[in-house]
Coordinates of all heavy atoms in Angstrom, one line a residue:
M1 N 31.0 -44.4 -7.4 CA 30.5 -43.2 -6.9 C 30.4 -42.2 -8.0 O 31.3 -42.0 -8.7 CB 31.4 -42.6 -5.8 CG 31.5 -43.5 -4.5 SD 32.5 -42.7 -3.3 CE 31.3 -42.0 -2.2
A2 N 29.2 -41.5 -8.1 CA 29.0 -40.5 -9.1 C 29.3 -39.1 -8.6 O 28.9 -38.8 -7.5 CB 27.6 -40.6 -9.6
N3 N 30.1 -38.4 -9.4 CA 30.4 -37.0 -9.0 C 29.6 -36.1 -10.0 O 29.7 -36.2 -11.2 CB 31.9 -36.7 -9.2 CG 32.7 -37.5 -8.3 OD1 32.3 -37.9 -7.2 ND2 34.0 -37.6 -8.6
T4 N 28.9 -35.1 -9.4 CA 28.0 -34.2 -10.2 C 28.3 -32.8 -9.7 O 28.0 -32.5 -8.6 CB 26.5 -34.6 -10.0 OG1 26.3 -35.9 -10.3 CG2 25.7 -33.7 -10.9
F5 N 28.7 -31.9 -10.7 CA 28.8 -30.5 -10.4 C 27.4 -29.9 -10.5 O 26.7 -30.2 -11.4 CB 29.8 -29.8 -11.4 CG 31.2 -30.1 -11.1 CD1 31.9 -31.1 -11.8 CD2 31.9 -29.4 -10.1 CE1 33.2 -31.4 -11.6 CE2 33.2 -29.7 -9.8 CZ 33.9 -30.7 -10.5
K6 N 27.1 -29.0 -9.5 CA 25.8 -28.3 -9.5 C 26.0 -26.8 -9.2 O 27.0 -26.5 -8.6 CB 24.9 -28.9 -8.5 CG 24.4 -30.3 -8.9 CD 23.2 -30.7 -8.0 CE 22.6 -32.0 -8.6 NZ 21.4 -32.3 -8.0
S7 N 25.1 -26.0 -9.6 CA 25.0 -24.6 -9.2 C 23.6 -24.3 -8.7 O 22.6 -24.6 -9.4 CB 25.3 -23.8 -10.5 OG 25.2 -22.4 -10.2
N8 N 23.6 -23.9 -7.5 CA 22.3 -23.4 -6.9 C 22.3 -21.9 -6.8 O 23.3 -21.3 -6.3 CB 22.1 -24.0 -5.5 CG 21.5 -25.4 -5.5 OD1 21.8 -26.2 -6.5 ND2 20.8 -25.8 -4.5
V9 N 21.2 -21.3 -7.2 CA 21.1 -19.9 -7.1 C 19.9 -19.5 -6.3 O 18.9 -20.2 -6.3 CB 21.0 -19.2 -8.6 CG1 22.3 -19.5 -9.3 CG2 19.8 -19.8 -9.3
A10 N 19.9 -18.3 -5.7 CA 18.8 -17.8 -4.9 C 18.8 -16.3 -5.0 O 19.8 -15.7 -4.8 CB 18.9 -18.2 -3.4
A11 N 17.7 -15.8 -5.4 CA 17.5 -14.3 -5.6 C 16.7 -13.8 -4.4 O 15.9 -14.5 -3.9 CB 16.9 -14.0 -6.9
N12 N 16.9 -12.5 -4.2 CA 16.1 -11.8 -3.2 C 16.0 -12.4 -1.8 O 15.0 -12.6 -1.2 CB 14.7 -11.6 -3.7 CG 14.6 -10.9 -5.1 OD1 15.3 -9.9 -5.3 ND2 13.9 -11.4 -6.0
I13 N 17.2 -12.8 -1.3 CA 17.3 -13.3 0.0 C 16.7 -12.4 1.0 O 16.8 -11.2 0.9 CB 18.8 -13.6 0.4 CG1 19.4 -14.6 -0.5 CG2 19.0 -13.9 1.8 CD1 18.9 -16.0 -0.4
V14 N 16.0 -12.9 2.0 CA 15.3 -12.1 3.1 C 16.0 -12.3 4.4 O 17.1 -13.0 4.5 CB 13.8 -12.5 3.2 CG1 13.1 -12.1 1.9 CG2 13.6 -14.0 3.5
T15 N 15.5 -11.7 5.4 CA 16.1 -11.6 6.7 C 16.1 -12.9 7.6 O 16.8 -12.9 8.6 CB 15.5 -10.4 7.6 OG1 14.1 -10.7 7.7 CG2 15.8 -9.1 6.9
S16 N 15.3 -13.9 7.2 CA 15.3 -15.1 7.9 C 15.0 -16.3 7.1 O 14.2 -16.2 6.1 CB 14.4 -15.0 9.1 OG 13.1 -14.9 8.7
G17 N 15.5 -17.5 7.4 CA 15.0 -18.8 6.9 C 15.3 -19.1 5.5 O 14.6 -19.9 4.9
N18 N 16.4 -18.6 4.9 CA 16.7 -18.9 3.5 C 17.6 -20.1 3.4 O 18.8 -20.1 3.7 CB 17.4 -17.7 2.9 CG 16.6 -16.5 2.9 OD1 15.8 -16.3 2.1 ND2 16.9 -15.6 3.9
T19 N 17.1 -21.3 2.9 CA 17.9 -22.4 2.7 C 18.3 -22.4 1.2 O 17.4 -22.5 0.3 CB 17.1 -23.7 3.0 OG1 16.7 -23.7 4.4 CG2 18.0 -25.0 2.8
V20 N 19.6 -22.3 1.0 CA 20.1 -22.2 -0.4 C 20.3 -23.6 -1.0 O 20.2 -23.9 -2.1 CB 21.3 -21.4 -0.5 CG1 22.0 -21.4 -1.8 CG2 21.0 -19.9 0.0
Y21 N 20.7 -24.6 -0.1 CA 21.0 -25.9 -0.5 C 20.8 -26.9 0.7 O 21.2 -26.6 1.8 CB 22.4 -26.0 -1.0 CG 22.9 -27.4 -1.4 CD1 22.5 -27.9 -2.6 CD2 23.7 -28.2 -0.6 CE1 22.9 -29.2 -3.0 CE2 24.1 -29.4 -0.9 CZ 23.7 -30.0 -2.1 OH 24.1 -31.2 -2.5
T22 N 20.3 -28.1 0.4 CA 20.2 -29.2 1.3 C 20.9 -30.4 0.7 O 20.6 -30.8 -0.4 CB 18.7 -29.5 1.7 OG1 18.1 -28.4 2.2 CG2 18.7 -30.6 2.7
C23 N 21.9 -30.9 1.4 CA 22.6 -32.1 0.9 C 21.7 -33.3 0.9 O 21.1 -33.7 2.0 CB 23.8 -32.3 1.8 SG 24.9 -33.6 1.2
P24 N 21.6 -34.0 -0.2 CA 20.7 -35.1 -0.3 C 21.2 -36.3 0.5 O 22.3 -36.4 0.9 CB 20.8 -35.5 -1.8 CG 21.3 -34.3 -2.5 CD 22.2 -33.6 -1.5
S25 N 20.3 -37.2 0.8 CA 20.6 -38.4 1.6 C 21.6 -39.3 0.8 O 21.7 -39.2 -0.4 CB 19.4 -39.3 1.9 OG 18.8 -39.7 0.8
A26 N 22.5 -40.0 1.5 CA 23.5 -40.9 0.9 C 24.4 -40.1 0.0 O 24.9 -40.6 -1.0 CB 22.8 -42.0 0.1
T27 N 24.7 -38.8 0.3 CA 25.5 -37.9 -0.5 C 26.4 -37.1 0.4 O 26.0 -36.7 1.5 CB 24.6 -37.0 -1.3 OG1 23.7 -37.8 -2.1 CG2 25.4 -36.1 -2.2
Q28 N 27.6 -36.8 -0.1 CA 28.5 -35.8 0.5 C 28.6 -34.8 -0.5 O 28.7 -35.1 -1.7 CB 29.8 -36.4 0.9 CG 29.7 -37.4 2.0 CD 31.1 -38.0 2.4 OE1 32.0 -37.9 1.6 NE2 31.2 -38.5 3.6
T29 N 28.7 -33.5 -0.1 CA 28.8 -32.4 -1.0 C 29.9 -31.5 -0.6 O 30.0 -31.2 0.6 CB 27.5 -31.6 -1.1 OG1 26.4 -32.4 -1.6 CG2 27.6 -30.4 -2.1
T30 N 30.7 -31.1 -1.6 CA 31.8 -30.1 -1.3 C 31.3 -28.8 -1.9 O 31.0 -28.7 -3.1 CB 33.1 -30.5 -2.0 OG1 33.5 -31.8 -1.5 CG2 34.2 -29.5 -1.7
L31 N 31.2 -27.8 -1.0 CA 30.8 -26.4 -1.5 C 32.1 -25.8 -2.0 O 33.0 -25.6 -1.2 CB 30.2 -25.7 -0.3 CG 29.8 -24.2 -0.6 CD1 28.8 -24.1 -1.7 CD2 29.3 -23.6 0.7
I32 N 32.2 -25.6 -3.3 CA 33.5 -25.2 -3.8 C 33.5 -23.7 -4.1 O 34.6 -23.1 -4.4 CB 33.9 -26.0 -5.1 CG1 32.8 -25.9 -6.2 CG2 34.2 -27.4 -4.7 CD1 33.1 -26.6 -7.4
G33 N 32.3 -23.1 -4.1 CA 32.3 -21.6 -4.3 C 31.0 -21.0 -3.8 O 29.9 -21.7 -3.9
L34 N 31.0 -19.8 -3.2 CA 29.8 -19.2 -2.7 C 30.0 -17.7 -3.0 O 31.0 -17.1 -2.5 CB 29.6 -19.4 -1.3 CG 28.4 -18.9 -0.7 CD1 27.1 -19.5 -1.3 CD2 28.3 -19.0 0.9
T35 N 29.1 -17.1 -3.7 CA 29.1 -15.7 -4.1 C 27.9 -15.0 -3.5 O 26.8 -15.5 -3.8 CB 29.3 -15.5 -5.6 OG1 30.4 -16.2 -6.0 CG2 29.4 -14.0 -5.9
L36 N 28.1 -13.9 -2.8 CA 27.0 -13.1 -2.3 C 27.1 -11.7 -3.0 O 28.1 -11.1 -2.9 CB 27.0 -12.9 -0.8 CG 27.3 -14.2 0.0 CD1 27.4 -13.8 1.5 CD2 26.2 -15.2 -0.1
S37 N 25.9 -11.2 -3.5 CA 26.0 -10.0 -4.3 C 24.9 -9.0 -3.7 O 23.7 -9.4 -3.7 CB 25.7 -10.2 -5.7 OG 25.7 -9.0 -6.4
N38 N 25.3 -7.9 -3.3 CA 24.4 -6.8 -2.8 C 23.8 -6.1 -3.9 O 24.6 -5.3 -4.6 CB 25.1 -5.9 -1.8 CG 24.2 -4.8 -1.3 OD1 23.0 -4.7 -1.6 ND2 24.8 -4.0 -0.4
K39 N 22.5 -6.2 -4.2 CA 21.9 -5.5 -5.3 C 21.0 -4.3 -4.8 O 20.3 -3.7 -5.6 CB 21.1 -6.4 -6.1 CG 20.0 -7.1 -5.4 CD 19.3 -8.1 -6.3 CE 18.0 -8.6 -5.6 NZ 17.3 -9.6 -6.5
S40 N 21.2 -3.9 -3.5 CA 20.4 -2.9 -2.9 C 21.1 -1.5 -3.1 O 22.2 -1.4 -3.5 CB 20.1 -3.2 -1.5 OG 21.2 -2.9 -0.7
A41 N 20.4 -0.5 -2.7 CA 20.9 0.9 -2.7 C 21.7 1.3 -1.5 O 22.1 2.4 -1.4 CB 19.8 1.9 -3.0
G42 N 21.9 0.3 -0.6 CA 22.6 0.7 0.7 C 23.5 -0.5 1.1 O 23.4 -1.6 0.6
T43 N 24.3 -0.2 2.2 CA 25.1 -1.3 2.8 C 24.2 -2.2 3.5 O 23.3 -1.8 4.2 CB 26.1 -0.6 3.7 OG1 27.0 0.2 2.9 CG2 27.0 -1.7 4.4
I44 N 24.5 -3.5 3.4 CA 23.8 -4.5 4.1 C 24.8 -5.4 4.9 O 26.0 -5.3 4.6 CB 22.9 -5.4 3.2 CG1 23.8 -6.1 2.2 CG2 21.8 -4.6 2.5 CD1 23.1 -7.2 1.3
T45 N 24.3 -6.3 5.7 CA 25.2 -7.4 6.3 C 24.6 -8.7 5.9 O 23.4 -8.9 5.6 CB 25.2 -7.3 7.8 OG1 23.9 -7.4 8.4 CG2 25.9 -6.0 8.2
A46 N 25.5 -9.7 5.8 CA 25.1 -11.1 5.4 C 25.6 -12.1 6.4 O 26.7 -11.9 7.0 CB 25.6 -11.4 4.0
N47 N 24.8 -13.1 6.6 CA 25.2 -14.3 7.5 C 25.1 -15.5 6.7 O 24.1 -15.7 6.0 CB 24.3 -14.4 8.7 CG 24.3 -13.1 9.5 OD1 25.3 -12.8 10.2 ND2 23.2 -12.4 9.5
V48 N 26.1 -16.4 6.8 CA 26.1 -17.7 6.1 C 26.4 -18.7 7.2 O 27.3 -18.6 8.0 CB 27.2 -17.8 5.0 CG1 27.2 -19.2 4.4 CG2 27.0 -16.7 4.0
Y49 N 25.5 -19.7 7.2 CA 25.7 -20.8 8.2 C 25.3 -22.1 7.7 O 24.6 -22.3 6.7 CB 25.1 -20.4 9.6 CG 23.6 -20.1 9.5 CD1 22.7 -21.1 9.8 CD2 23.1 -18.9 9.2 CE1 21.3 -20.8 9.8 CE2 21.8 -18.6 9.1 CZ 20.9 -19.6 9.5 OH 19.5 -19.3 9.4
L50 N 25.9 -23.1 8.3 CA 25.6 -24.5 8.0 C 24.8 -25.1 9.2 O 25.1 -24.9 10.3 CB 26.9 -25.3 8.0 CG 26.9 -26.8 7.9 CD1 26.4 -27.2 6.5 CD2 28.2 -27.4 8.2
R51 N 23.6 -25.7 8.8 CA 22.8 -26.3 9.8 C 22.9 -27.8 9.8 O 22.8 -28.4 8.7 CB 21.3 -25.9 9.6 CG 20.4 -26.6 10.6 CD 19.0 -26.1 10.6 NE 19.0 -24.8 11.3 CZ 18.0 -24.0 11.2 NH1 16.9 -24.3 10.6 NH2 18.1 -22.8 11.9
R52 N 23.3 -28.4 10.9 CA 23.5 -29.8 11.0 C 22.8 -30.3 12.3 O 23.1 -29.8 13.4 CB 25.0 -30.2 11.1 CG 25.2 -31.7 11.2 CD 26.6 -32.1 11.2 NE 27.2 -31.8 9.9 CZ 28.5 -31.7 9.6 NH1 29.4 -31.8 10.5 NH2 28.9 -31.5 8.4
S53 N 21.8 -31.2 12.1 CA 21.1 -31.7 13.3 C 20.5 -30.6 14.2 O 20.7 -30.6 15.4 CB 22.0 -32.6 14.1 OG 22.5 -33.7 13.3
S54 N 19.9 -29.7 13.6 CA 19.2 -28.6 14.3 C 20.1 -27.6 15.0 O 19.7 -26.8 15.7 CB 18.2 -29.1 15.3 OG 17.2 -29.9 14.6
T55 N 21.4 -27.7 14.7 CA 22.4 -26.7 15.2 C 23.0 -25.9 14.1 O 23.4 -26.5 13.1 CB 23.5 -27.5 16.0 OG1 22.9 -28.2 17.1 CG2 24.5 -26.5 16.6
D56 N 23.1 -24.6 14.3 CA 23.7 -23.7 13.3 C 25.1 -23.4 13.6 O 25.5 -23.1 14.7 CB 22.9 -22.4 13.2 CG 21.5 -22.6 12.8 OD1 21.2 -23.5 12.1 OD2 20.6 -21.7 13.1
Y57 N 26.0 -23.6 12.5 CA 27.4 -23.3 12.6 C 27.7 -22.1 11.7 O 27.5 -22.2 10.5 CB 28.2 -24.5 12.3 CG 27.9 -25.7 13.2 CD1 27.0 -26.6 12.9 CD2 28.6 -25.8 14.4 CE1 26.7 -27.7 13.7 CE2 28.3 -26.9 15.3 CZ 27.3 -27.8 14.9 OH 27.0 -28.8 15.8
S58 N 28.3 -21.1 12.2 CA 28.5 -19.9 11.4 C 29.7 -20.0 10.5 O 30.8 -20.5 10.9 CB 28.8 -18.7 12.4 OG 29.0 -17.5 11.6
V59 N 29.5 -19.6 9.2 CA 30.6 -19.5 8.3 C 31.1 -18.1 8.2 O 32.3 -17.8 8.3 CB 30.1 -20.0 6.9 CG1 31.2 -19.8 5.8 CG2 29.7 -21.4 6.9
I60 N 30.1 -17.1 8.1 CA 30.4 -15.7 8.3 C 29.2 -15.1 9.0 O 28.1 -15.5 8.9 CB 30.6 -14.9 6.9 CG1 29.4 -15.1 6.0 CG2 31.9 -15.4 6.2 CD1 29.5 -14.2 4.8
S61 N 29.5 -14.1 9.8 CA 28.5 -13.4 10.6 C 28.6 -11.9 10.4 O 29.6 -11.3 10.6 CB 28.7 -13.7 12.1 OG 28.4 -15.0 12.4
N62 N 27.4 -11.3 10.1 CA 27.3 -9.9 9.9 C 28.4 -9.3 9.0 O 29.0 -8.2 9.3 CB 27.3 -9.2 11.3 CG 26.1 -9.6 12.1 OD1 25.0 -9.6 11.6 ND2 26.3 -9.9 13.3
A63 N 28.7 -9.9 7.9 CA 29.7 -9.4 7.0 C 29.1 -8.3 6.2 O 28.0 -8.4 5.6 CB 30.1 -10.5 6.0
P64 N 29.8 -7.1 6.2 CA 29.2 -5.9 5.5 C 29.4 -6.1 4.0 O 30.5 -6.5 3.6 CB 30.0 -4.8 6.1 CG 31.3 -5.4 6.6 CD 31.0 -6.8 7.0
L65 N 28.4 -5.7 3.2 CA 28.5 -5.6 1.8 C 28.1 -4.2 1.4 O 26.9 -3.9 1.6 CB 27.7 -6.7 1.1 CG 28.2 -8.1 1.1 CD1 27.7 -8.8 2.3 CD2 27.8 -8.8 -0.2
L66 N 28.9 -3.4 0.8 CA 28.6 -2.1 0.3 C 27.7 -2.2 -0.9 O 27.6 -3.3 -1.6 CB 29.9 -1.3 -0.1 CG 30.9 -1.1 1.0 CD1 32.1 -0.5 0.5 CD2 30.3 -0.4 2.2
T67 N 27.0 -1.2 -1.2 CA 26.1 -1.1 -2.4 C 26.9 -1.6 -3.7 O 28.0 -1.2 -3.9 CB 25.6 0.3 -2.7 OG1 24.9 0.8 -1.5 CG2 24.7 0.4 -3.9
G68 N 26.3 -2.6 -4.3 CA 26.8 -3.1 -5.6 C 28.0 -4.0 -5.4 O 28.7 -4.4 -6.4
S69 N 28.4 -4.4 -4.2 CA 29.6 -5.2 -4.0 C 29.3 -6.7 -3.9 O 28.1 -7.1 -3.8 CB 30.3 -4.8 -2.7 OG 29.6 -5.1 -1.6
T70 N 30.3 -7.5 -4.0 CA 30.2 -8.9 -4.0 C 31.2 -9.5 -2.9 O 32.3 -9.0 -2.8 CB 30.5 -9.5 -5.4 OG1 29.6 -9.0 -6.3 CG2 30.4 -11.0 -5.3
L71 N 30.8 -10.5 -2.2 CA 31.6 -11.2 -1.2 C 31.7 -12.6 -1.6 O 30.7 -13.2 -2.0 CB 31.0 -11.0 0.2 CG 31.7 -11.8 1.3 CD1 33.1 -11.3 1.5 CD2 30.9 -11.7 2.6
V72 N 32.9 -13.2 -1.6 CA 33.1 -14.6 -1.9 C 33.7 -15.3 -0.7 O 34.9 -15.4 -0.6 CB 34.0 -14.8 -3.2 CG1 34.2 -16.2 -3.5 CG2 33.4 -14.0 -4.4
P73 N 32.9 -15.7 0.2 CA 33.4 -16.3 1.5 C 34.0 -17.7 1.3 O 34.7 -18.2 2.1 CB 32.2 -16.3 2.4 CG 31.0 -16.3 1.5 CD 31.4 -15.6 0.3
I74 N 33.5 -18.4 0.2 CA 34.0 -19.7 0.0 C 34.5 -19.8 -1.5 O 33.7 -19.5 -2.4 CB 33.0 -20.8 0.3 CG1 32.6 -20.7 1.7 CG2 33.4 -22.2 -0.1 CD1 31.4 -21.5 2.1
G75 N 35.7 -20.3 -1.7 CA 36.2 -20.4 -3.1 C 37.7 -20.4 -3.0 O 38.3 -20.2 -1.9
G76 N 38.4 -20.6 -4.1 CA 39.9 -20.7 -4.1 C 40.3 -21.8 -3.2 O 39.9 -23.0 -3.4
E77 N 41.1 -21.5 -2.1 CA 41.6 -22.5 -1.2 C 40.5 -23.0 -0.2 O 40.7 -24.0 0.4 CB 42.8 -22.0 -0.5 CG 44.0 -21.7 -1.4 CD 44.6 -22.9 -2.0 OE1 44.7 -24.0 -1.3 OE2 44.9 -22.9 -3.2
Q78 N 39.5 -22.1 0.0 CA 38.5 -22.4 1.0 C 37.4 -23.3 0.5 O 36.8 -22.9 -0.5 CB 37.9 -21.1 1.6 CG 36.7 -21.3 2.5 CD 37.1 -21.9 3.8 OE1 38.2 -21.8 4.3 NE2 36.2 -22.7 4.4
K79 N 37.1 -24.4 1.1 CA 36.0 -25.3 0.7 C 35.3 -25.7 2.0 O 35.9 -25.7 3.1 CB 36.6 -26.6 0.1 CG 37.5 -26.4 -1.1 CD 36.9 -25.9 -2.3 CE 37.8 -25.8 -3.5 NZ 38.7 -24.6 -3.5
V80 N 34.0 -26.2 1.9 CA 33.3 -26.7 3.0 C 32.6 -28.0 2.6 O 32.0 -28.0 1.5 CB 32.2 -25.6 3.4 CG1 31.3 -26.2 4.5 CG2 32.8 -24.4 3.9
V81 N 32.7 -29.0 3.4 CA 32.1 -30.3 3.1 C 30.8 -30.4 3.9 O 30.8 -30.1 5.1 CB 33.1 -31.5 3.5 CG1 32.4 -32.8 3.3 CG2 34.3 -31.4 2.7
L82 N 29.7 -30.8 3.2 CA 28.4 -31.0 3.8 C 28.1 -32.5 3.8 O 28.4 -33.2 2.8 CB 27.4 -30.2 3.0 CG 27.4 -28.7 3.1 CD1 28.3 -28.1 2.0 CD2 26.0 -28.1 2.9
Q83 N 27.5 -32.9 4.9 CA 27.1 -34.3 5.0 C 25.6 -34.4 4.7 O 24.9 -33.4 4.6 CB 27.4 -34.8 6.4 CG 28.8 -34.8 6.7 CD 29.1 -35.2 8.2 OE1 28.2 -35.5 8.9 NE2 30.3 -35.2 8.6
A84 N 25.1 -35.6 4.5 CA 23.7 -35.8 4.2 C 22.8 -35.0 5.2 O 23.0 -35.1 6.4 CB 23.3 -37.3 4.2
A85 N 21.8 -34.3 4.7 CA 20.8 -33.5 5.4 C 21.4 -32.2 5.9 O 20.6 -31.4 6.5 CB 20.2 -34.3 6.6
D86 N 22.6 -31.9 5.8 CA 23.1 -30.6 6.1 C 22.5 -29.5 5.2 O 22.2 -29.8 4.0 CB 24.7 -30.5 5.9 CG 25.5 -31.1 7.0 OD1 24.9 -31.6 8.0 OD2 26.7 -31.2 6.8
E87 N 22.2 -28.3 5.8 CA 21.6 -27.2 5.0 C 22.6 -26.0 5.0 O 23.2 -25.7 6.0 CB 20.3 -26.8 5.7 CG 19.3 -27.8 5.7 CD 18.0 -27.4 6.5 OE1 18.2 -27.0 7.6 OE2 16.9 -27.5 5.9
L88 N 22.7 -25.4 3.8 CA 23.4 -24.1 3.7 C 22.3 -23.0 3.8 O 21.4 -23.0 3.0 CB 24.1 -24.1 2.4 CG 24.9 -22.8 2.1 CD1 26.0 -22.5 3.1 CD2 25.4 -22.8 0.6
K89 N 22.5 -22.2 4.8 CA 21.5 -21.1 5.0 C 22.1 -19.8 5.0 O 23.3 -19.6 5.4 CB 20.8 -21.3 6.4 CG 20.0 -22.7 6.4 CD 19.3 -22.9 7.7 CE 17.9 -22.5 7.7 NZ 17.0 -22.9 6.7
I90 N 21.4 -18.8 4.5 CA 21.9 -17.4 4.3 C 20.8 -16.4 4.7 O 19.6 -16.6 4.3 CB 22.4 -17.2 2.9 CG1 23.5 -18.1 2.5 CG2 22.8 -15.7 2.7 CD1 24.0 -18.1 1.1
T91 N 21.2 -15.4 5.5 CA 20.3 -14.3 5.8 C 21.0 -13.0 5.5 O 22.2 -12.9 5.4 CB 19.8 -14.4 7.3 OG1 21.0 -14.2 8.1 CG2 19.1 -15.7 7.6
T92 N 20.2 -11.9 5.5 CA 20.7 -10.6 5.2 C 19.9 -9.6 6.1 O 18.9 -9.9 6.6 CB 20.6 -10.2 3.7 OG1 21.1 -8.9 3.5 CG2 19.1 -10.2 3.3
S93 N 20.5 -8.4 6.2 CA 19.9 -7.4 7.1 C 18.7 -6.7 6.4 O 18.0 -5.9 7.1 CB 20.9 -6.4 7.6 OG 21.5 -5.8 6.4
A94 N 18.5 -6.8 5.1 CA 17.5 -6.1 4.4 C 16.8 -7.1 3.4 O 17.5 -7.7 2.6 CB 18.0 -4.9 3.7
N95 N 15.5 -7.2 3.5 CA 14.8 -8.1 2.6 C 15.1 -7.8 1.1 O 15.2 -6.6 0.7 CB 13.3 -8.0 2.8 CG 12.9 -8.8 4.1 OD1 13.5 -9.8 4.4 ND2 11.8 -8.3 4.7
S96 N 15.2 -8.8 0.3 CA 15.3 -8.8 -1.1 C 16.6 -8.0 -1.6 O 16.6 -7.4 -2.7 CB 14.1 -8.2 -1.8 OG 12.9 -9.0 -1.5
S97 N 17.6 -7.9 -0.8 CA 18.8 -7.2 -1.1 C 20.0 -8.0 -1.6 O 21.0 -7.4 -2.1 CB 19.3 -6.4 0.1 OG 19.6 -7.3 1.2
L98 N 19.9 -9.3 -1.5 CA 21.0 -10.2 -1.8 C 20.7 -11.3 -2.7 O 19.6 -11.9 -2.6 CB 21.5 -10.8 -0.4 CG 22.8 -11.5 -0.3 CD1 23.9 -10.5 -0.5 CD2 22.9 -12.2 1.0
D99 N 21.6 -11.5 -3.7 CA 21.5 -12.7 -4.5 C 22.7 -13.6 -4.2 O 23.8 -13.2 -3.8 CB 21.6 -12.3 -6.0 CG 20.3 -11.7 -6.5 OD1 19.3 -11.7 -5.8 OD2 20.3 -11.2 -7.7
V100 N 22.5 -14.9 -4.4 CA 23.5 -15.9 -4.0 C 23.7 -16.9 -5.1 O 22.7 -17.4 -5.8 CB 23.0 -16.7 -2.7 CG1 24.0 -17.8 -2.4 CG2 22.8 -15.7 -1.6
I101 N 25.0 -17.3 -5.3 CA 25.3 -18.4 -6.2 C 26.2 -19.4 -5.5 O 27.2 -19.0 -4.9 CB 26.0 -17.9 -7.5 CG1 25.2 -16.9 -8.3 CG2 26.4 -19.1 -8.4 CD1 25.9 -16.2 -9.4
A102 N 25.8 -20.6 -5.4 CA 26.6 -21.7 -4.7 C 27.0 -22.7 -5.8 O 26.2 -23.2 -6.5 CB 25.8 -22.3 -3.6
S103 N 28.3 -23.0 -5.8 CA 28.9 -24.0 -6.7 C 29.2 -25.2 -5.9 O 29.9 -25.1 -4.9 CB 30.1 -23.4 -7.5 OG 29.8 -22.3 -8.2
L104 N 28.7 -26.4 -6.3 CA 28.8 -27.6 -5.5 C 29.3 -28.8 -6.3 O 29.0 -28.8 -7.5 CB 27.4 -27.9 -4.9 CG 26.7 -26.7 -4.3 CD1 25.2 -26.7 -4.6 CD2 26.8 -26.8 -2.8
L105 N 29.9 -29.7 -5.6 CA 30.2 -31.0 -6.1 C 29.6 -32.1 -5.3 O 30.0 -32.2 -4.1 CB 31.7 -31.2 -6.2 CG 32.2 -32.6 -6.6 CD1 31.7 -32.9 -8.0 CD2 33.7 -32.7 -6.5
E106 N 28.6 -32.7 -5.8 CA 27.9 -33.8 -5.1 C 28.6 -35.1 -5.4 O 28.9 -35.5 -6.5 CB 26.4 -33.9 -5.5 CG 25.6 -32.8 -5.0 CD 24.1 -32.9 -5.3 OE1 23.7 -33.8 -6.1 OE2 23.3 -32.2 -4.7
I107 N 28.8 -35.9 -4.3 CA 29.4 -37.2 -4.4 C 28.4 -38.2 -3.8 O 28.2 -38.2 -2.6 CB 30.8 -37.3 -3.7 CG1 31.7 -36.2 -4.3 CG2 31.4 -38.7 -3.9 CD1 32.9 -36.0 -3.4
A108 N 27.9 -39.1 -4.7 CA 26.8 -40.0 -4.2 C 27.3 -41.4 -4.5 O 28.0 -41.7 -5.4 CB 25.5 -39.8 -4.9

């Protein structure tokens, strides 16, 4: 089994439909870090969820981020395991207000 560390980044997250990462087939992925950064001039909210088999599972819902602040919902002791075809999705309350960095370990 090959282990590969990856970093997925997404800039200017919008209010719907942002897939930050899709777990490849025949692969398991451990999400080892997730950073959300508010780059807007106002307070926003962010949602992070895992989509599996057309069902969304919330990781965080309507988490407030003040202007210029960062939220790290996954990291340290918190990890999330994704199975093949799982999607990591993120939305925000204001278009182009959020940047995302996801740190991952793929096991294939």
Side-chain angles (χ1 to χ4, degrees):
M1 296 181 100
N3 295 338
T4 306
F5 284 100
K6 291 195 170 191
S7 176
N8 276 30
V9 295
N12 303 317
I13 296 294
V14 294
T15 57
S16 65
N18 302 278
T19 301
V20 174
Y21 176 78
T22 301
C23 187
S25 63
T27 302
Q28 292 178 339
T29 298
T30 302
L31 180 59
I32 56 178
L34 183 65
T35 303
L36 312 176
S37 178
N38 179 0
K39 62 183 187 178
S40 75
T43 298
I44 61 170
T45 59
N47 300 291
V48 177
Y49 54 99
L50 170 74
R51 176 169 287 169
R52 178 177 293 161
S53 302
S54 300
T55 301
D56 295 334
Y57 300 93
S58 180
V59 176
I60 59 170
S61 291
N62 296 315
L65 282 91
L66 301 174
T67 301
S69 69
T70 299
L71 174 65
V72 183
I74 298 170
E77 296 295 318
Q78 174 65 34
K79 310 287 185 278
V80 174
V81 175
L82 291 86
Q83 299 175 3
D86 284 355
E87 296 175 308
L88 177 65
K89 300 183 92 50
I90 298 173
T91 61
T92 183
S93 59
N95 283 329
S96 302
S97 61
L98 190 69
D99 285 353
V100 176
I101 301 171
S103 299
L104 310 140
L105 174 60
E106 288 184 347
I107 304 166

